[in-house]
C-alpha cells in the first residue's frame, strides 16, 4: 500500500495540471495564447474552465 502511495502522489499533480490546461492543449495556434491566459486566470472556476474548453475545442484547425 505504501509503495502505491509513493508512486501515485508525485504523479497526481501532473495529472491535475494536465486536466487544468486541457483547453490550452486543444486550442489552435491563433487562439492558444488567448485560451492560455483565460485558462490561467479564470480556469479555476468551473465557468471559466468551461469557456476555455469551448473556445479551445471550437477553434478552426
Amino acid at each position: 500500500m505504501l509503495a502505491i502511495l509513493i508512486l501515485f502522489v508525485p504523479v497526481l499533480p501532473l495529472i491535475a495540471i494536465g486536466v487544468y490546461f486541457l483547453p490550452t492543449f486543444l486550442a489552435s495556434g491563433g487562439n492558444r495564447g488567448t485560451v492560455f491566459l483565460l485558462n490561467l486566470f479564470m480556469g479555476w472556476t468551473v465557468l471559466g474552465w468551461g469557456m476555455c474548453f469551448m473556445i479551445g475545442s471550437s477553434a478552426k484547425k
Side-chain angles (χ1 to χ4, degrees):
M1 180 71 173
L2 183 61
I4 293 172
L5 279 175
I6 290 172
L7 293 174
F8 187 68
V9 169
V11 175
L12 189 60
L14 296 175
I15 293 171
I17 290 170
V19 170
Y20 184 81
F21 284 108
L22 181 65
T24 304
F25 300 142
L26 293 176
S28 65
N31 283 342
R32 187 164 286 183
T34 304
V35 172
F36 173 75
L37 289 176
L38 185 62
N39 196 18
L40 184 65
F41 293 115
M42 293 299 296
W44 58 273
T45 66
V46 175
L47 182 62
W49 191 89
M51 285 176 28
C52 290
F53 188 79
M54 287 190 306
I55 293 169
S57 62
S58 68
K60 295 180 181 177
K61 298 192 180 210

